[in-house]
Amino acid sequence: MFLSCVLLAIRCLTSFNAMKYLNQTEAINVDQELFNEYKFSVDQLMELAGLSCSHAIAKCFAANEHKRVLVCCGPGNNGGDGLVCARHLSLMGYLPKVYYPKPTPNSLYENLTHQCKAMNIEFLETCPPSELLNKSYDLIVDALFGFSFKPPVREAFVPIIKALQETRLPIASIDIPSGWHVENGKNDECCFEPSLLISLTAPKLCAKLYKGPHHYLGGRFVPPALKEKYQLDLPEYPGTETCVKL
Amino acid sequence: MFLSCVLLAIRCLTSFNAMKYLNQTEAINVDQELFNEYKFSVDQLMELAGLSCSHAIAKCFAANEHKRVLVCCGPGNNGGDGLVCARHLSLMGYLPKVYYPKPTPNSLYENLTHQCKAMNIEFLETCPPSELLNKSYDLIVDALFGFSFKPPVREAFVPIIKALQETRLPIASIDIPSGWHVENGKNDECCFEPSLLISLTAPKLCAKLYKGPHHYLGGRFVPPALKEKYQLDLPEYPGTETCVKL
């Protein structure tokens, strides 16, 4: 019994140590290879990424206790993952609303927005102050900035980042807690700690510094040869799961 | 106790009776609305459909006992679902090969093919005769024809339909058992009974005549307003599941 506990501990420790945390350049390169070498479309991977985020959220925050969700979407792919996530949350019985201050003017994002609206997901015009946020929602999904973010935070996003710092609601961050440095984590401009971090494809360096209770990996689409090339040593996804607890 | 059993039985019975089975025109209309009114891309829905098929297969045929899978793909969207399914099966530890006798010459299908090949999924050049099929595989995925199929079976697909009739391997059919009439089911040209039928979006009329052991619904993406418009009365998907047993 004692021996098997020790062996399990060693296994956990080695598997934890082995998993690769990507720096910003590696994250960009892995992403580019998925599109350029493996010929995935953004639609495909965004759908799988957003779906896995909604599943990780459902595992940590049940719909009956965290029904009212504000999904905050940024102007890039992270925001697109958020729009997909909002749609799947809605299909799972949540009541998401979306705050999307800088909609991206291309057909992919316009269609993702349309799909949400056609499912009666409301889009907020202005950023709710943190007091109102605390009263009106049970959970915030932070899909503002991803791994290609470089500070400073643009003016349009300053109020929502402030609200994320001040709120007492649980926050689920997609890929990177927004405003964190992709490699160095918290900084003067942004220092909130999400209750759930969902790393996509592979965790980025800043995830090593994450101290919150729930860390998941999502985006079960990485081809074995790409895993090997970047020596990602990702954990096994169990059964048909789209996400795995780290 | 007795009363609650009776109530449960009544509920099961009414929910079974209530679910709509689509005729061919309704199936085509629902599909068109998803693309034209809701602005989903084929990439998005095919990814979700193929993923849900791989999950239903994994629930019925575990990878350790049904590792070697032949995925037979037709020239249309049903074949595309099959290519996506093959990729996700591979990510879940199966060893799929693909037989795709009439590849569709457009970028979506070329990319789906490329994604499979880049994950070392082998594509067969010729249709294996049923003897070889029985020896070399544990399961067949039938992604040949979907709800827009109209007889007769084209020449290129006659050998594989013949092999499906003759094989003793379990067959998992995507949306429609290939060659079945979408509304009237089996016919002189095609009368195999798959071990698993995965209806996508909503079951088609022929699924009422399905007598095999496993019937699942996949494609958890139907917007509530569309469900209502066509009075689909679909069953609830449990938790984060992408498919549900019917």
Side-chain angles (χ1 to χ4, degrees), chain B residues 14-90:
Chain B
T14 47
S15 83
F16 179 78
N17 282 338
M19 191 172 64
K20 176 85 163 276
Y21 289 75
L22 303 179
N23 64 35
Q24 191 171 36
T25 309
E26 286 168 329
I28 290 169
N29 290 346
V30 166
D31 207 50
Q32 285 307 306
E33 283 208 30
L34 285 166
F35 297 127
N36 300 336
E37 304 300 321
Y38 289 90
K39 308 282 183 204
F40 285 104
S41 69
V42 183
D43 298 46
Q44 281 181 288
L45 298 194
M46 203 168 261
E47 197 63 36
L48 293 174
L51 179 71
S52 68
C53 291
S54 74
H55 288 175
I57 289 167
K59 284 175 196 297
C60 299
F61 306 102
N64 53 357
E65 285 178 359
H66 297 86
K67 213 174 185 66
R68 303 167 306 164
V69 185
L70 181 64
V71 184
C72 305
C73 296
N77 283 357
N78 204 258
D81 296 338
L83 293 169
V84 172
C85 177
R87 172 162 41 84
H88 287 291
L89 285 174
S90 160

Side-chain angles (χ1 to χ4, degrees), chain B:
Chain B
M1 180 63 186
F2 174 73
L3 187 67
S4 59
C5 284
V6 171
L7 285 174
L8 184 68
I10 292 173
R11 218 174 116 207
C12 289
L13 222 61
T14 47
S15 83
F16 179 78
N17 282 338
M19 191 172 64
K20 176 85 163 276
Y21 289 75
L22 303 179
N23 64 35
Q24 191 171 36
T25 309
E26 286 168 329
I28 290 169
N29 290 346
V30 166
D31 207 50
Q32 285 307 306
E33 283 208 30
L34 285 166
F35 297 127
N36 300 336
E37 304 300 321
Y38 289 90
K39 308 282 183 204
F40 285 104
S41 69
V42 183
D43 298 46
Q44 281 181 288
L45 298 194
M46 203 168 261
E47 197 63 36
L48 293 174
L51 179 71
S52 68
C53 291
S54 74
H55 288 175
I57 289 167
K59 284 175 196 297
C60 299
F61 306 102
N64 53 357
E65 285 178 359
H66 297 86
K67 213 174 185 66
R68 303 167 306 164
V69 185
L70 181 64
V71 184
C72 305
C73 296
N77 283 357
N78 204 258
D81 296 338
L83 293 169
V84 172
C85 177
R87 172 162 41 84
H88 287 291
L89 285 174
S90 160
L91 287 166
M92 290 193 293
Y94 292 82
L95 284 176
K97 294 187 183 186
V98 171
Y99 176 58
Y100 186 28
K102 282 274 173 205
T104 310
N106 80 29
S107 64
L108 170 62
Y109 290 89
E110 283 160 7
N111 289 342
L112 290 174
T113 302
H114 177 87
Q115 290 153 25
C116 284
K117 289 184 175 172
M119 285 174 61
N120 296 321
I121 296 173
E122 190 186 325
F123 279 60
L124 305 187
E125 289 299 322
T126 55
C127 175
S130 59
E131 267 311 296
L132 188 62
L133 213 56
N134 292 340
K135 271 192 221 154
S136 314
Y137 299 93
D138 306 307
L139 174 69
I140 303 179
V141 176
D142 153 30
L144 290 166
F145 313 128
F147 60 79
S148 48
F149 171 75
K150 289 205 162 120
V153 171
R154 280 201 279 162
E155 209 182 312
F157 296 98
V158 169
I160 185 66
I161 288 288
K162 186 166 176 286
L164 292 183
Q165 312 254 47
E166 290 173 359
T167 185
R168 54 169 178 70
L169 294 177
I171 300 174
S173 286
I174 296 185
D175 208 25
I176 312 273
S178 292
W180 279 31
H181 187 283
V182 181
E183 296 175 6
N184 306 327
K186 289 179 191 172
N187 52 71
D188 290 348
E189 203 174 24
C190 185
C191 58
F192 72 88
E193 186 93 45
S195 301
L196 165 63
L197 172 62
I198 309 142
S199 292
L200 291 173
T201 314
K204 316 304 171 293
L205 267 174
C206 67
K208 268 198 173 171
L209 306 163
Y210 172 63
K211 301 269 187 287
H214 305 293
H215 187 194
Y216 275 76
L217 178 68
R220 189 180 186 172
F221 47 64
V222 185
L226 191 65
K227 270 191 217 172
E228 201 164 321
K229 179 170 174 184
Y230 287 87
Q231 299 186 294
L232 298 181
D233 286 311
L234 301 176
E236 292 283 318
Y237 287 83
T240 60
E241 298 290 343
T242 64
C243 61
V244 53
K245 193 165 170 56
L246 294 179

Side-chain angles (χ1 to χ4, degrees), chain A residues 56-91:
Chain A
I57 289 167
K59 283 174 195 298
C60 299
F61 306 102
N64 53 356
E65 286 179 358
H66 297 86
K67 212 173 186 68
R68 303 167 306 165
V69 184
L70 181 64
V71 184
C72 305
C73 297
N77 283 357
N78 204 258
D81 296 339
L83 293 169
V84 173
C85 177
R87 172 162 42 83
H88 287 291
L89 286 175
S90 162
L91 287 167

Side-chain angles (χ1 to χ4, degrees), chain A:
Chain A
M1 180 63 186
F2 173 73
L3 188 65
S4 59
C5 286
V6 171
L7 285 173
L8 184 68
I10 291 173
R11 216 173 120 206
C12 291
L13 221 62
T14 48
S15 83
F16 179 79
N17 281 338
M19 190 172 62
K20 175 85 163 276
Y21 289 75
L22 304 178
N23 64 34
Q24 192 170 36
T25 308
E26 285 167 329
I28 291 169
N29 289 346
V30 166
D31 207 50
Q32 285 308 305
E33 284 207 28
L34 285 165
F35 297 125
N36 300 336
E37 305 300 322
Y38 290 90
K39 307 282 183 204
F40 284 104
S41 69
V42 182
D43 297 45
Q44 281 182 288
L45 297 194
M46 205 169 260
E47 198 62 37
L48 294 174
L51 179 71
S52 68
C53 290
S54 74
H55 289 175
I57 289 167
K59 283 174 195 298
C60 299
F61 306 102
N64 53 356
E65 286 179 358
H66 297 86
K67 212 173 186 68
R68 303 167 306 165
V69 184
L70 181 64
V71 184
C72 305
C73 297
N77 283 357
N78 204 258
D81 296 339
L83 293 169
V84 173
C85 177
R87 172 162 42 83
H88 287 291
L89 286 175
S90 162
L91 287 167
M92 289 194 293
Y94 292 83
L95 284 177
K97 295 188 182 183
V98 170
Y99 178 57
Y100 187 28
K102 282 275 172 205
T104 311
N106 80 30
S107 64
L108 169 64
Y109 291 88
E110 283 159 8
N111 289 342
L112 291 175
T113 301
H114 177 86
Q115 291 153 24
C116 284
K117 289 184 175 172
M119 286 176 60
N120 295 321
I121 296 173
E122 191 186 323
F123 278 61
L124 305 187
E125 290 299 321
T126 54
C127 175
S130 61
E131 268 311 297
L132 188 63
L133 214 56
N134 292 340
K135 272 192 220 153
S136 312
Y137 299 94
D138 306 308
L139 174 69
I140 303 178
V141 176
D142 154 30
L144 290 166
F145 312 128
F147 61 78
S148 47
F149 171 75
K150 290 210 160 117
V153 171
R154 278 201 281 161
E155 209 181 312
F157 296 98
V158 169
I160 185 65
I161 288 287
K162 188 167 174 286
L164 292 183
Q165 311 255 47
E166 289 174 0
T167 185
R168 55 170 177 69
L169 294 177
I171 299 173
S173 288
I174 296 185
D175 208 26
I176 311 274
S178 293
W180 279 31
H181 188 284
V182 181
E183 297 174 4
N184 306 327
K186 291 181 191 171
N187 52 72
D188 290 348
E189 202 173 23
C190 186
C191 58
F192 73 88
E193 186 95 44
S195 300
L196 165 62
L197 173 62
I198 308 142
S199 293
L200 291 173
T201 313
K204 316 305 170 293
L205 266 175
C206 67
K208 267 198 173 172
L209 306 164
Y210 173 62
K211 301 270 188 285
H214 305 293
H215 187 195
Y216 276 75
L217 178 69
R220 188 179 185 173
F221 47 64
V222 184
L226 191 64
K227 270 192 217 171
E228 201 164 322
K229 179 171 173 184
Y230 287 87
Q231 299 187 295
L232 298 181
D233 285 310
L234 301 177
E236 290 285 318
Y237 287 83
T240 61
E241 297 289 346
T242 63
C243 60
V244 54
K245 194 164 168 58
L246 295 179

